[in-house]
Amino acid sequence: MLVEPLSDDQLNKVYSPILSPLAWDLGHIANFEELWLVQTISGREPMRGELGRFYDAIENPRATRNELPILRGEELRSYMSGVRERTLDVLDEIDLDSDDPLLRDGFVYDLILAHEHQHNETMLQLLQMVDRYEPLERDGTPAAEPVAAGPEMVRVEGGQVEIGAPPGGFAYDNERPRHTVELEPFEIDRTPVTNGEYARYVEETGAAPPLYWERDGADAWVRTAMGETRELDPRHPVVHVSYEEAAGFAAWAGKRLPTELEWEAAAAGADRERANLDHLAFGTAPAGAYGGAASEAGAVQMLGDVWEWTSSDFTGYPGFEAFPYDEYSKVFFGPEHKVLRGGAWATRRDVIRPTFRNWDLPIRRQIFAGVRCARDL
Ligand SMILES: [Fe+2]
């Protein structure tokens, strides 16, 4: 559905050195599915021999992907459907009660679904730059959600808090093991920071505006998405800010970014079924929407709308074990990546949960990242 409105020229075009051409994403999604759901679990040979190495995300940095002899046009589409056919053939003969941890409870199928769904979001990052992109479907209900009034910040009690995914059910290696931490009580913003608040910060400090903002006269802003320029809606959450910008805003507001542990404690009880996810709306809902689906602490929109930068470096939890391979999380551990939480309007619903950890470089702004501040009590 996402790529159907696009021409082959648009699928092959490089829009940004930090984003792959969409044709690479599509081939990579199919190749990753073939690697795990056909080759690895059934021992079958790959359909296209050595093709796989061009779709290895670690071997091929985004800036070089368009120079690779990747599949394009009809060849790409027939490879994608060929892989899916073989995946379904293998599924018919596979034993999901197996002792193999890859197969047990269908783990590897959840993994590949999550991978494809996470690439949907990466592709949506690029679609923001595509002139006159017109989605096949758009759902206006998130934007029409009633906005609840409430205090600027809510209190989170802290104490002994369980962090991470429980055993059983699908979760990534970096969400495990579940463990207990001790948190001081703190306050967290009830809603994500809005465009209006962020514009005031930009005006007062001369800070750079978020990606896709442009001045429209002396004190007004417009923002452009998918080739369409519109007046900025001050009630909506700010999006496309870097970690440094988010932290700068928080300091200006007399607050700070939450740690990811604080964020997870504040998100307890948030419901992904009542959140702006799944790129239904192709944009955010106003801050304060989904008031009936607040977390136990009273914060709204913890899930959906915008990813929220935390002050935490991406690291392994105590007792971390890489599974099923080091390249998913472990190679990214360290101070160079900051953790984001909560998912955005562009995140698929089945990907997100309160324990889900996303990470990126602190300078990145093409991701759907916003701000929610915290404060010591
Ligand atoms: Fe990938």
Side-chain angles (χ1 to χ4, degrees), residues 24-25 28-29 32 55 57 65 115-116 118-119 122 325:
W24 187 91
D25 282 274
H28 166 81
I29 290 168
F32 200 70
Y55 291 115
R65 288 175 187 172
H115 178 258
E116 174 165 342
Q118 286 174 262
H119 271 276
T122 319
Y325 56 105

Side-chain angles (χ1 to χ4, degrees), residues 44-174:
R44 287 170 167 78
E45 290 298 313
M47 279 170 71
R48 303 285 307 234
E50 287 306 286
L51 185 75
R53 66 196 170 94
F54 303 122
Y55 291 115
D56 185 317
I58 306 259
E59 294 299 313
N60 303 288
R62 285 174 174 184
T64 68
R65 288 175 187 172
N66 204 39
E67 289 141 36
L68 301 168
I70 57 171
L71 298 175
R72 301 180 192 266
E74 208 32 62
E75 232 191 339
L76 170 60
R77 282 184 276 274
S78 85
Y79 174 65
M80 290 169 70
S81 59
V83 167
R84 181 56 51 89
E85 215 172 286
R86 289 170 40 126
T87 291
L88 295 175
D89 286 346
V90 173
L91 180 59
D92 273 342
E93 63 195 48
I94 217 77
D95 174 15
L96 297 177
D97 296 323
S98 150
D99 283 340
D100 180 346
L102 263 187
L103 293 176
R104 197 186 305 144
D105 299 324
F107 174 87
V108 73
Y109 289 91
D110 277 324
L111 179 76
I112 293 320
L113 271 172
H115 178 258
E116 174 165 342
H117 285 171
Q118 286 174 262
H119 271 276
N120 291 166
E121 182 167 343
T122 319
M123 295 166 80
L124 278 158
Q125 292 169 17
L126 184 139
L127 291 175
Q128 299 307 296
M129 303 174 192
V130 176
D131 221 10
R132 285 189 292 273
Y133 178 81
E134 195 41 62
L136 282 192
E137 272 179 32
R138 224 192 260 253
D139 173 354
T141 50
E145 272 281 326
V147 171
E152 180 185 326
M153 301 188 86
V154 295
R155 181 186 166 101
V156 186
E157 286 310 325
Q160 303 265 316
V161 177
E162 294 280 301
I163 295 293
F170 178 77
Y172 281 113
D173 57 0
N174 65 53

